[in-house]
Amino acid sequence: MVPTIDRRQFLGGLLGGATALGLAACGAPALTLPERAATGTARAGATMRIARPAASAAETLDPASSLSAYEYLGALYNRVVKLDREGETVPDLATEWSSNADATTWDFALRPGVRFHDGRELTARDVRYTFQHILDPETASPQAGPLELVEEIEAVDTTTVRFRLGTPNAEFPSLLTAYQCYVIPEDSAGEIGRTGIGTGPFVLESYTPAGAGVVRANEDYFDGRATLDRIEFYSIQDTSARVNALLARQVDLLSQTNLDNPTARVVANSPGTTVARVENAQWYTIPMLYTSEEFADPVMRQAMKLAYDPRAVLSTALQGTGTPGWDNPVPPQLKAWLDEEREHDPEKAKALLKSIGREDFSTRIYTSAYEPNFTAIATAFASQVKEAGIRLQITNTAADSYYTQIWMAEPLMVSYWFTGRPIDQLLNQIFRSGSSYNESAWSNEEFDKLLDAARADTNDDSRLQKYQDAQRLIIEDSADLTPVFGDRLVGLSEEVVNYDEYGFEFDYLALGLKEG
């Protein structure tokens, strides 16, 4: 059965009240929120209702696609390997893996006896097919680029799959943790976008692209049955409407919805609802377009960094809910994180600007309502750099065209990413010369060579050192500012227990509704 909720109910009624309360919260004392969701025993036979942002009608359950219905993937599928909280690669469908001496051949041993939802047994052929599908140019998967080093995939026997690489890569298993790498059955590409047949903890019951859908517990899941019986997903495009649905107790959890501080305060103080934090989940950036006249000069980029204090941005824009970034894109929870604070010296920034004849530098900084904290971060940053004589004009633009008209087009804007990428993927996807995700278009030959050297280094300690040297180069020369890592503030019902999310990992097994 497909669940139904009248979207007009979300848009009316509580919307005005929430907005008014949100505005009233401005100027209130520092934000105080629960650190985590409640834990405890969940009741049997429960159905959870999750609201998520609506996607386009082209949305699909094919994990490899750039248009995949993200919230369903972890419920329906498994990957060969996944990430733990520290960013380490750990087993999922594979129990162990190993490489040859130069890290060009990797063997993965699969769990025996795992079955897809249609009863078929998982084999190495399914894994081989999954990655051939990702690498197929017709699929246009975002993960095809990071995996282009794969030259051959072999099903050695029923439970052993072998990857042969064109270049050494000691971090190769971490590339298989991306959410586009969920395993699908052999020969299923034609229909997987509708069937959602995986090995995961839930089985698809119904699904409408950009609409509602239902999954039910997989009674034969290899890692034990999920606590919930069913999950109903609702697609609701407007953030205020999603919040109102929660306040009206029409849904239990808001997915992919980072609440701004005033709204989080409303949700936390309303009867029956609360807020949980996902620590450092939002990586906020201010890309300075490397190819623009404004920021091509490395001295200009250095001045922009010296001119502001990330701690002040965190304090004013996010009321302290996060961690200062110091222009290092690696979040503190990753083992490879470089724990160093770069210099903050507005007077030195002013002198650098004068040395290149830009002591009266002025430009626009673009923002939008696409993400609730963008404008607060832009405002806090612009206020900070004034001390160095830099004048930034806050320019709000339409949310629906922000990432098609502004991103990678205008010289200065506010952007964000989810944290949760392994170190090699993060640095190569977003900072390597020519990468399609390189939002600042920065190009540094020394940096690229350092990444190649890290991949070829099979010694854990010296490889870690290379990744940290790469972080220093980003801080010193790159065209991307990282002012803060923000905690994601997630609205949920007080009935929800064992909600747990980090990076791109979501615990669908333990999630439940409290007893009583």
Side-chain angles (χ1 to χ4, degrees):
M1 176 181 176
V2 177
T4 58
I5 291 180
D6 185 350
R7 186 170 183 272
R8 287 172 297 182
Q9 290 178 310
F10 299 148
L11 297 173
L14 291 166
L15 178 61
T19 303
L21 286 168
L23 292 173
C26 295
L31 188 63
T32 302
L33 295 171
E35 291 296 322
R36 297 182 64 83
T39 58
T41 304
R43 70 172 180 261
T47 295
M48 179 165 290
R49 302 159 301 175
I50 296 179
R52 67 191 190 99
S56 73
E59 185 182 47
T60 172
L61 294 175
D62 182 350
S65 170
S66 60
L67 298 173
S68 61
Y70 171 75
E71 293 82 0
Y72 287 81
L73 303 184
L76 298 175
Y77 304 103
N78 293 96
R79 286 155 294 176
V80 174
V81 288
K82 59 185 179 181
L83 290 180
D84 68 8
R85 292 181 185 280
E86 287 73 43
E88 296 296 308
T89 304
V90 296
D92 195 357
L93 290 175
T95 55
E96 56 186 13
W97 48 93
S98 61
S99 75
N100 62 352
D102 67 355
T104 54
T105 299
W106 287 86
D107 286 354
F108 293 81
L110 304 177
R111 297 174 189 268
V114 175
R115 292 191 177 278
F116 287 102
H117 300 153
D118 61 0
R120 289 177 44 188
E121 186 166 349
L122 169 81
T123 73
R125 293 172 62 92
D126 300 302
V127 175
R128 180 182 63 182
Y129 177 79
T130 295
F131 287 94
Q132 288 172 336
H133 173 55
I134 292 170
L135 290 166
D136 184 347
E138 292 291 318
T139 307
S141 175
Q143 195 59 13
L147 291 174
E148 64 183 359
L149 75 168
V150 175
E151 291 192 336
E152 182 184 3
I153 309 168
E154 179 184 357
V156 178
D157 55 36
T158 303
T159 57
T160 307
V161 64
R162 176 171 296 158
F163 293 81
R164 298 186 194 278
L165 313 182
T167 55
N169 193 327
E171 290 284 326
F172 176 70
S174 74
L175 297 181
L176 310 188
T177 65
Y179 67 82
Q180 292 90 2
C181 295
Y182 285 105
V183 175
I184 62 175
E186 187 175 27
D187 297 328
S188 69
E191 68 276 1
I192 194 67
R194 292 175 285 103
T195 64
I197 292 175
T199 57
F202 286 86
V203 179
L204 187 70
E205 199 169 280
S206 63
Y207 169 69
T208 303
V214 177
V215 298
R216 58 179 165 79
N218 177 3
E219 302 292 342
D220 300 318
Y221 187 53
F222 67 83
D223 202 21
R225 188 191 188 279
T227 301
L228 291 168
D229 269 8
R230 300 169 81 245
I231 299 175
E232 297 175 350
F233 290 102
Y234 298 92
S235 296
I236 307 170
Q237 184 61 35
D238 183 81
T239 301
S240 296
R242 286 198 295 279
V243 172
N244 282 341
L246 176 67
L247 295 173
R249 312 296 296 276
Q250 294 171 318
V251 298
D252 304 298
L253 176 66
L254 306 184
S255 174
Q256 288 202 72
T257 306
N258 181 32
L259 303 179
D260 60 22
N261 287 325
T263 304
R265 194 186 300 274
V266 171
V267 172
N269 291 324
S270 296
T273 58
T274 186
V275 170
R277 293 190 192 195
V278 182
E279 190 176 3
N280 296 328
Q282 308 282 118
W283 162 29
Y284 290 101
T285 65
I286 302 179
M288 302 176 282
L289 201 59
Y290 180 74
T291 51
S292 69
E293 181 183 351
E294 288 87 343
F295 299 113
D297 189 334
V299 177
M300 184 69 217
R301 301 196 298 272
Q302 186 183 359
M304 291 288 284
K305 293 174 183 177
L306 287 167
Y308 86 102
D309 185 346
R311 293 168 299 192
V313 176
L314 176 66
S315 174
T316 55
L318 302 185
Q319 294 190 27
T321 54
T323 302
W326 297 107
D327 300 326
N328 179 4
V330 177
Q333 59 265 36
L334 288 192
K335 181 181 177 183
W337 175 54
L338 177 67
D339 185 9
E340 291 181 5
E341 294 182 8
R342 57 113 175 109
E343 193 178 3
H344 167 227
D345 190 339
E347 288 302 317
K348 186 175 178 180
K350 191 182 293 186
L352 288 175
L353 291 169
K354 188 174 182 180
S355 73
I356 58 174
R358 287 187 168 179
E359 55 268 43
D360 297 319
F361 181 73
S362 174
T363 192
R364 294 174 183 268
I365 182 169
Y366 287 84
T367 178
S368 86
Y370 186 94
E371 208 278 347
N373 291 316
F374 277 2
T375 299
I377 289 172
T379 303
F381 179 74
S383 174
Q384 280 280 298
V385 299
K386 271 184 184 176
E387 196 174 343
I390 299 169
R391 297 289 181 268
L392 300 181
Q393 181 181 344
I394 309 294
T395 305
N396 270 290
T397 58
D400 58 0
S401 59
Y402 193 62
Y403 275 94
T404 55
Q405 302 294 322
I406 304 299
W407 189 58
M408 300 180 76
E410 295 296 342
L412 193 67
M413 65 173 293
V414 183
S415 184
Y416 84 119
W417 303 82
F418 284 1
T419 58
R421 291 170 173 78
I423 183 68
D424 182 79
Q425 184 173 332
L426 189 165
L427 298 180
N428 277 281
Q429 271 195 328
I430 302 171
F431 292 93
R432 180 183 276 274
S433 303
S435 168
S436 60
Y437 277 3
N438 185 339
E439 62 180 353
S440 70
W442 180 58
S443 179
N444 184 304
E445 187 177 350
E446 181 184 357
F447 176 80
D448 296 346
K449 288 180 178 177
L450 196 50
L451 294 186
D452 290 338
R455 282 181 160 182
D457 191 342
T458 57
N459 180 285
D460 290 345
D461 292 335
S462 55
R463 185 169 70 255
L464 177 66
Q465 183 62 56
K466 291 181 175 68
Y467 285 130
Q468 293 191 329
D469 289 344
Q471 292 170 58
R472 288 191 180 90
L473 265 181
I474 289 173
I475 295 168
E476 293 167 3
D477 183 66
S478 84
D480 231 325
L481 303 161
T482 294
V484 290
F485 296 98
D487 296 346
R488 187 177 308 145
L489 306 181
V490 180
L492 64 166
S493 160
E494 287 182 339
E495 297 296 306
V496 174
V497 293
N498 308 326
Y499 160 76
D500 189 19
E501 182 179 10
Y502 61 93
F504 294 95
E505 309 294 338
F506 190 101
D507 188 351
Y508 283 99
L509 267 185
L511 183 68
L513 297 173
K514 71 170 61 170
E515 286 186 317

